[in-house]
Structure formats: C-alpha cells, structure tokens
C-alpha cells in the first residue's frame, strides 16, 4: 500500500532506461508510492524483468516497454500506446543515458552524435510526446536525469556534460511553456553514485571523489530515486524549472 506522503496511487509513470541502476531504483521507488510503472529498456530484457519483479514486490504493478529512447518515432509511438491503454500518462522520467568519454579533440563524430542523441535528443522527444497527453489531463510531471558533470563539467566528458547541461536548460523552458497547464518540469542531478557505471572506475579515482565529497561516500541509487519520487508527487506541485542536487555536497 502506498504511503500517505508522495502518494502516487492511480498515476501512470514511464521511466526510460529502467532496467538497472538509478533507473531501476526509480521504478521501484515510484511503485512503492503506488504508481503503475512502465519500464523502458532497449536490449536487456532479463534485467528489465528483474526490475518488474521488484516493482511488483513493492506492491504495485507495471509492464515492460521496449523501445529506442533516442528515436523520435519509437518514443512517440510508445507514449501514445501506453497513454491510450492506461487512460493517461502522469509521470515521465527521462533517465536513459550513455557515455562516450574522451578528450574533445579525439572524439569521433559518431560518438559525439550518439551521446547527444541518447542523452539530450531522446529526453526532448519524450517530453514532447508526454506533454501532449499531460496537457489534456491538466496534470503532469516531467523529470530529467542530469548529472553533476552537466553542472560543473569534467575533463574527458565534453559531450556528456553538454548533453546533461542541456537537460537543465530544456526543463527551464518547458516549465515556462506548460506551467499554466499544471505540467511541471524538473531535473535531478546526481553526483557520484554506486552503479554499474561507476563500479568500473579505478579505485584511486573513486577515492579522489569520496575525499572531495563532504559526506565522504558515494551516493546510493535509492537516494536519487527518492528525489524523483518527490518531484513526481502532488507535494511538489509548486516546484518547477529547478535542479535538485543529490551529490553529497560535492558541487553546491
């Protein structure tokens, strides 16, 4: 049963990149609050099924929704189909992301295009498709998963930083355009979180970031997911166009 605070009973949520890491934690967190969760993935169906099992264990229900989150046509079709079957779409979380790290002068055109396509264009397509539904409902929550790198930059991650920083600008514009329709747009900006992506970092790199973080540890995916659940809730109805940092104080 959903808790009283952040009660999302009756709400339909879509999370891109929901098969693992922060995406999986977000799906489970939304389910704990009572939302029906559509779990997007592109290739790892086994991992997505594990997320669905955790969603159901959390007391709610959901479904797998495989599509390419960087394809305008695929995103629009999936959103329209989900909203049609479930009689609405209330929460859209643009979480799918990739990295192709390297110094800018060495970055290939195809790598640059891929990062911008998945990390910036894809969330824009998702927002555009979801807003059509949310405007008719006069209720909607868009949450974009940015990164501390999108705020402070990082050597070797120019493309990733550009895309994640772009999400912040995107959310601010959407907030101004659709606030009158009761559609909010916000960003969650995680710091260094314990995920598959950071597990591959050398120990000395992790140590450096932990030492630079006032809370002196890496964050947990569940802590990021809790921020998403808040922004998706009725309690956050007067919050739009903002960046909610979950970074342990590494960037303030």
């Amino acid at each position: 049963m959903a808790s009283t605070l952040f009660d999302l009973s009756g709400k339909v949520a879509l999370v891109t990149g929901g098969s693992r890491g922060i995406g999986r934690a977000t799906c489970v967190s939304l389910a704990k609050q009572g939302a029906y969760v559509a779990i997007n993935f592109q290739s790892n169906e086994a991992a997505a099924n594990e997320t669905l099992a955790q969603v159901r264990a959390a007391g709610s229900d959901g479904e797998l929704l495989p599509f390419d989150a960087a394809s305008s046509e695929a995103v629009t079709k999936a959103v329209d189909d989900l909203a049609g079957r479930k009689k609405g779409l209330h929460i859209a979380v643009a979480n799918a992301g990739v990295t192709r790290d390297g110094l800018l002068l060495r970055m290939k055109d195809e790598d640059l295009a891929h990062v911008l396509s998945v990390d910036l264009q894809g969330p824009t397509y998702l927002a555009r498709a979801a807003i059509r539904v949310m405007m008719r409902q006069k209720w909607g929550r868009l949450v974009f998963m940015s990164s501390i790198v999108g705020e402070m930059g990082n050597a070797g991650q120019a493309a990733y930083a550009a895309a994640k920083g772009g999400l912040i600008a995107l959310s601010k514009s959407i907030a101004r355009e659709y606030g009158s329709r009761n559609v909010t747009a916000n960003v969650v900006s995680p710091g260094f979180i314990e995920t598959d992506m950071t597990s591959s970092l050398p120990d000395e790199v992790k140590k450096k970031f932990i030492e630079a973080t006032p809370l002196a540890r890496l964050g947990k995916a569940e802590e990021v997911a809790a921020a998403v659940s808040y922004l998706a809730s009725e309690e956050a109805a007067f919050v739009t166009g903002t960046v909610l940092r979950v970074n342990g104080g590494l960037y303030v």
Side-chain angles (χ1 to χ4, degrees):
M1 179 177 292
S3 63
T4 302
L5 193 63
F6 308 158
D7 185 0
L8 299 175
S9 301
K11 298 293 192 292
V12 178
L14 167 60
V15 180
T16 63
S19 64
R20 61 192 178 95
I22 291 172
R24 172 179 288 176
T26 296
C27 290
V28 174
S29 181
L30 293 171
K32 285 180 179 178
Q33 309 310 319
Y36 179 93
V37 184
I39 304 157
N40 162 255
F41 70 99
Q42 187 167 1
S43 58
N44 196 338
E45 185 172 355
N49 268 311
E50 174 58 29
T51 300
L52 181 58
Q54 292 185 27
V55 162
R56 288 172 173 161
S60 191
D61 199 5
E63 64 182 78
L64 301 188
L65 204 58
F67 64 86
D68 180 359
S71 164
S72 174
E73 182 179 359
V75 169
T76 301
K77 184 177 184 300
V79 167
D80 289 348
D81 176 66
L82 176 65
R85 287 185 291 103
K86 301 304 295 183
K87 309 304 180 188
L89 174 62
H90 306 91
I91 301 157
V93 183
N95 170 76
V98 297
T99 59
R100 293 287 188 275
D101 295 345
L103 295 176
L104 183 59
L105 287 177
R106 298 176 183 172
M107 185 166 290
K108 297 177 181 178
D109 287 353
E110 54 266 33
D111 289 337
L112 177 60
H114 183 59
V115 171
L116 294 176
S117 175
V118 175
D119 293 359
L120 182 56
Q121 288 179 231
T124 306
Y125 298 147
L126 177 64
R128 185 174 61 186
I131 284 168
R132 293 191 184 103
V133 180
M134 293 173 176
M135 283 176 62
R136 292 194 296 268
Q137 297 169 167
K138 291 187 169 63
W139 202 100
R141 300 285 188 266
L142 298 168
V143 183
F144 300 95
M145 194 63 67
S146 182
S147 165
I148 191 172
V149 173
E151 296 189 87
M152 62 183 283
N154 194 33
Q157 291 191 299
Y160 185 72
K164 292 299 188 178
L167 293 178
I168 296 173
L170 174 65
S171 71
K172 291 178 183 294
S173 295
I174 292 173
R176 292 183 180 276
E177 289 183 3
Y178 299 101
S180 64
R181 301 298 184 97
N182 200 28
V183 175
T184 66
N186 291 289
V187 168
V188 174
S189 183
F192 285 84
I193 309 298
E194 293 177 3
T195 64
D196 293 343
M197 192 177 291
T198 57
S199 66
S200 61
L201 291 172
D203 287 341
E204 60 269 21
V205 174
K206 291 182 188 176
K207 184 172 181 286
K208 181 182 75 171
F209 283 116
I210 290 172
E211 288 174 348
T213 302
L215 291 183
R217 64 175 176 86
L218 297 181
K220 296 179 172 58
E222 292 76 13
E223 292 169 323
V224 181
V228 177
S229 289
Y230 164 65
L231 292 173
S233 72
E234 189 61 50
E235 284 79 359
F238 202 55
V239 179
T240 193
T242 196
V243 179
L244 181 48
R245 295 168 176 155
V246 186
N247 65 26
L250 179 58
Y251 179 79
V252 296

